[in-house]
Amino acid sequence: MKITEHYKNAEKNKKPAFSVEILPPVKGQNIQHIFDTLDPLTEFNPAFIDVTYHREEFVYKKHPNGLLERKSVRKRPGTVAICAAIQNHYKIDAVPHIICGGFDKEDTENALIELNFLEIDNLLVLRGDPVKSENTFVPEPNGHRFASELLEQIVDLNHGKYLDDELENCCTTNFCIGVAGYPEKHFEAPNLNIDLNYLKKKVDLGADYIITQMFFDNQKFFDFVEKCRKIGIAVPIIPGLKPITTKSQITALPKTFHVDLPDELADELVKAKDNKEVREIGIEWTINQSKELVENGIPLLHFYTMSKSDVVVNVLKGVL
Ligand code: FAD
């Protein structure tokens, strides 16, 4: 089922619906690792499960002669296979994240064909962050610079338009396309309005729904939705929520995801004596955020698990 249909169903039902995002395990683990993460969550009936995509990183390996070798490694491969395994094992829609970084248009087309053959019809389409060792995002030669360009290629395929325009009688694909939105703006955008105009461009080009970056202050989400609606973005906007679980996340999350912690939350977390207390505060905060979103008519909540399902299970117990 398409994410947009899940959203419509959630709107009709009295009970709030939810989805989760998981990460592929680090190389060396097997699929049981994913099932162990998901089993406790599937008891609550998630509408869909997102699986992130992690491009290559560059590491330096020192040889006995002292020379350094630059090596490309992918620490968390397997996004597509994990999605297929989830759909097969749980009969729950899985949503692979698909990015511009590291892919040229041909690679993208081939990846989309594989997804189509696997009957994976929902996508979250992203640009991807710069490679860790680089400051700015560099597209592949003949790749895409922005998520909007990647989205256009997917929309083309949905219309049966492949890169090779000599192909005839091509089948169409049926991808439901999600894109990212940033209530506190994307870190590279000069301001929120400019960022929103690019988000509108993604929707005008064919994005079916938006999932937001995590936020800890619901007012920021409500303002974001209002601004989106004002400029004509009419598609579902699904809020992304992350329970804080460790002291280190108090600084790591703002640094990594360019989001602010409200004073009330930050003060409480800073005062917490250990990670156990941080976790309790984080869970309670997310429960309250979720309840307020639901009270304000948001039918579907998206939880970033960072592969720690027990925390999200505790939130769900408090919300559903
Ligand atoms: P874009 O929409 O391309 O925007 C990137 C920047 O360019 C923005 O500042 C925007 O304002 C600007 N911009 C857009 N179009 C134009 C234009 N035409 N001209 C000039 N400027 C423009 N990353 C991963 O690597 N893997 C994942 O699995 C992953 N999952 C994510 C899931 C969610 C829900 C979110 C919110 C983010 C995720 N990310 C992931 C991170 C994401 O890839 C980064 O935030 C990335 O820096 C931007 O991606 P985007 O799709 O928003 O980019």
Side-chain angles (χ1 to χ4, degrees):
M1 200 197 290
K2 291 190 171 188
I3 302 308
T4 43
E5 291 168 55
H6 283 293
Y7 192 87
K8 269 190 207 140
N9 287 346
E11 277 179 320
K12 272 188 237 145
N13 291 340
K14 291 253 157 36
K15 209 173 161 204
F18 79 100
S19 55
V20 292
E21 178 193 282
I22 60 163
L23 278 62
V26 286
K27 208 178 259 184
Q29 304 287 323
N30 60 19
I31 195 70
Q32 193 55 44
H33 182 93
I34 292 292
F35 296 153
D36 290 345
T37 303
L38 287 176
D39 280 349
L41 289 164
T42 51
E43 286 176 27
F44 294 86
N45 264 329
F48 59 91
I49 298 166
D50 272 47
V51 184
T52 55
Y53 187 90
H54 300 259
R55 65 174 301 181
E56 76 282 9
E57 293 173 30
F58 292 99
V59 293
Y60 287 88
K61 194 176 167 212
K62 196 167 185 180
H63 287 286
N65 61 7
L67 286 179
L68 288 176
E69 185 193 355
R70 188 176 187 251
K71 282 189 72 170
S72 160
V73 288
R74 282 194 59 208
K75 292 185 179 164
R76 294 180 182 271
T79 301
V80 172
I82 291 169
C83 286
I86 289 172
Q87 294 204 159
N88 187 37
H89 189 76
Y90 295 108
K91 315 289 175 230
I92 295 174
D93 286 311
V95 184
H97 292 189
I98 172 162
I99 66 170
C100 305
F103 285 75
D104 67 19
K105 291 178 189 163
E106 188 73 25
D107 298 331
T108 296
E109 186 171 276
N110 292 336
L112 293 167
I113 289 169
E114 275 180 35
L115 289 165
N116 184 236
F117 288 164
L118 287 166
E119 299 183 336
I120 294 171
D121 287 335
N122 292 294
L123 304 172
L124 188 68
V125 173
L126 304 141
R127 186 195 69 182
D129 279 326
V131 173
K132 278 198 180 125
S133 47
E134 291 168 1
N135 283 332
T136 49
F137 177 80
V138 182
E140 290 304 296
N142 198 31
H144 297 299
R145 211 151 41 105
F146 297 109
S148 53
E149 296 175 357
L150 170 56
L151 192 141
E152 274 183 287
Q153 185 178 0
I154 301 168
V155 171
D156 277 349
L157 219 59
N158 276 351
H159 291 119
K161 190 173 166 218
Y162 288 65
L163 293 173
D164 179 354
D165 51 22
E166 286 179 10
L167 288 179
E168 285 176 1
N169 302 321
C170 291
C171 292
T172 56
T173 54
N174 189 27
F175 290 114
C176 176
I177 307 170
V179 290
Y182 302 82
E184 299 180 56
K185 99 171 178 65
H186 183 259
F187 70 101
E188 291 166 20
N191 64 41
L192 184 58
N193 285 340
I194 291 178
D195 203 24
L196 283 173
N197 285 329
Y198 288 126
L199 178 59
K200 167 102 172 25
K201 183 176 173 186
K202 292 192 274 193
V203 173
D204 290 346
L205 286 169
D208 298 293
Y209 68 98
I210 295 165
I211 296 198
T212 77
Q213 181 57 280
M214 66 182 74
F215 58 88
F216 297 91
D217 178 352
N218 281 351
Q219 195 52 51
K220 291 196 171 151
F221 175 77
F222 295 137
D223 293 346
F224 173 76
V225 173
E226 196 184 325
K227 284 190 169 140
C228 286
R229 300 306 182 217
K230 252 192 200 144
I231 60 168
I233 296 175
V235 298
I237 302 176
I238 301 170
L241 300 168
K242 155 91 186 99
I244 294 183
T245 51
T246 61
K247 280 243 172 201
S248 62
Q249 288 176 353
I250 303 172
T251 46
L253 295 179
K255 187 172 163 217
T256 312
F257 299 105
H258 310 274
V259 293
D260 273 352
L261 303 188
D263 288 340
E264 194 190 332
L265 173 62
D267 289 348
E268 264 194 84
L269 291 170
V270 168
K271 273 191 249 150
K273 60 177 187 304
D274 53 22
N275 280 343
K276 187 171 172 278
E277 208 173 308
V278 167
R279 200 181 122 104
E280 281 163 17
I281 296 166
I283 290 171
E284 198 190 324
W285 188 270
T286 313
I287 291 175
N288 290 336
Q289 261 194 292
S290 305
K291 283 183 174 166
E292 192 186 28
L293 290 164
V294 171
E295 278 158 23
N296 280 272
I298 306 299
L300 204 159
L301 310 167
H302 185 69
F303 294 104
Y304 294 105
T305 68
M306 295 194 175
S307 296
K308 296 220 164 31
S309 52
D310 54 330
V311 181
V312 174
V313 163
N314 278 313
V315 171
L316 293 172
K317 281 182 185 159
V319 179
L320 299 181

